[in-house]
Amino acid sequence: MDPVQRVSSREVYRNNWMTVREDDVRRLDGSAGIYAVVDKPVCAVVIPSDGARFHLVEQFRYPLGLRRWEFPMGTAPELADVPPLELAARELREETGLIAGTMTDLGRTDVAPGFSSQHGHVFLATDLTQGEAQREVEEQDMRTAWFGLDEFEKMIATGHITDAQTLAAYALLLVRERTL
């Protein structure tokens, strides 16, 4: 038996990218509680690599009020449920213009399990071909660049890369490299 049981649920907000619901719950000891949950469709995080470098995107992240470097990533609009590999290829092409000859599944992440049901799939994109980016209107300020491994890790160490999904994706890549 789960330690927290949902008693009732109501949707309090919806847009094309997410819903927010409020759940009344009962804990294992019988006490009542409430959870606010952000439901979002599956996301894909892509690590584009040419073997020596990573291709990152930089964009303004409105909730933070800051520009941030990160791996290409995203979800499908209108809460669509798109297969993770298809979503990853689309996000890579949209944001960078890159097309991967090989996409390797590195694993799954839970995006923010304390308040969101969203999970992500991480892919390593290799055998890359450059095409034209097809950015959404929200991504019009996006910049892209290649970074060598040393520079990438220095950006993490100095706080220039702080995106949790980028950091988790890199951890999955490092684990894969160590176990092969």
Side-chain angles (χ1 to χ4, degrees), residues 64-123:
L64 299 176
L66 302 167
R67 296 190 68 80
R68 286 290 183 240
W69 284 102
E70 56 199 39
F71 288 131
M73 68 184 78
T75 63
E78 299 179 22
L79 303 173
D81 189 20
V82 176
L85 180 60
E86 182 182 322
L87 181 61
R90 192 196 81 198
E91 287 298 323
L92 179 64
R93 184 180 60 254
E94 257 183 24
E95 294 184 4
T96 68
L98 294 169
I99 299 167
T102 305
M103 294 282 269
T104 304
D105 188 343
L106 298 179
R108 177 183 159 149
T109 61
D110 293 323
V111 176
F115 67 87
S116 179
S117 63
Q118 186 181 38
H119 68 274
H121 293 270
V122 179
F123 293 90

Side-chain angles (χ1 to χ4, degrees), residues 56 58 64 66-70 151-164 166-167:
L56 303 178
E58 186 205 41
L64 299 176
L66 302 167
R67 296 190 68 80
R68 286 290 183 240
W69 284 102
E70 56 199 39
E151 187 175 6
F152 175 78
E153 289 185 346
K154 183 177 181 181
M155 291 168 74
I156 292 171
T158 59
H160 288 90
I161 295 177
T162 59
D163 173 67
T166 296
L167 299 173

